[in-house]
């Protein structure tokens, strides 16, 4: 593994930890971190007090060029997240639970932008 890859992984992990702290401070509970399915991965799976499952994509960008982290969650990425979320719900017997997709963007100054219900499974394409 190259030093660059290690550094990149460490930055990504730090961004996920920062996002997790923010979400937990808002009352969400971590269910799973880095859930991997056949065609996708979910950074954080959180649960709200009302039982809603929240799938969180964390995006880190050192700069806001090209729209920043939120803009980088394109249609292809959304489809992969939806696929992984369906797998998670099925594997854990949660198919009937309400769910949503949030995006948390972290920039190079550790500023956080949390977009609740950033997209849904019906309008992601």
């Amino acid at each position: 593994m190259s030093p660059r890859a290690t550094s990149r992984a460490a930055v990504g992990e730090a961004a996920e930890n920062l996002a997790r702290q923010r979400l937990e401070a808002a009352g969400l509970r971590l269910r799973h971190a880095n859930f991997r399915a056949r065609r996708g991965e979910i950074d954080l799976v959180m649960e709200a007090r009302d039982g809603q499952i929240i799938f969180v994509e964390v995006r880190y960008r050192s700069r806001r060029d090209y729209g920043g982290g939120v803009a980088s969650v394109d249609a292809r990425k959304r489809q992969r997240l939806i696929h992984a979320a369906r797998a998670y719900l099925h594997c854990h017997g949660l198919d009937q639970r309400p769910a949503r997709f949030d995006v948390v963007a972290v920039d190079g100054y550790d500023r956080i932008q949390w977009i609740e219900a950033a997209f849904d499974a019906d309008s992601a394409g």
Side-chain angles (χ1 to χ4, degrees), residues 28-92:
L28 302 181
R29 180 180 65 87
L30 179 71
R31 286 187 60 94
H32 202 111
N34 300 309
F35 174 77
R36 288 178 174 80
R38 186 174 186 163
R39 292 185 344 214
E41 177 183 342
I42 298 175
D43 295 325
L44 300 171
V45 180
M46 307 295 289
E47 185 172 352
R49 288 186 182 109
D50 66 0
Q52 184 177 41
I53 305 298
I54 302 156
F55 298 102
V56 182
E57 175 65 10
V58 179
R59 303 300 274 196
Y60 173 82
R61 294 291 182 268
S62 60
R63 299 169 34 180
R64 291 185 177 212
D65 298 356
Y66 308 107
V70 174
S72 71
V73 183
D74 60 12
R76 183 175 177 201
K77 181 63 176 177
R78 290 189 301 267
Q79 286 301 323
R80 288 181 178 198
L81 291 167
I82 290 166
H83 176 78
R86 287 180 177 150
Y88 182 89
L89 292 170
H90 181 73
C91 287
H92 292 88

Side-chain angles (χ1 to χ4, degrees), residues 94-108:
L94 302 170
D95 298 297
Q96 301 306 311
R97 287 273 195 96
R100 75 173 194 236
F101 294 90
D102 290 4
V103 175
V104 175
V106 179
D107 72 12

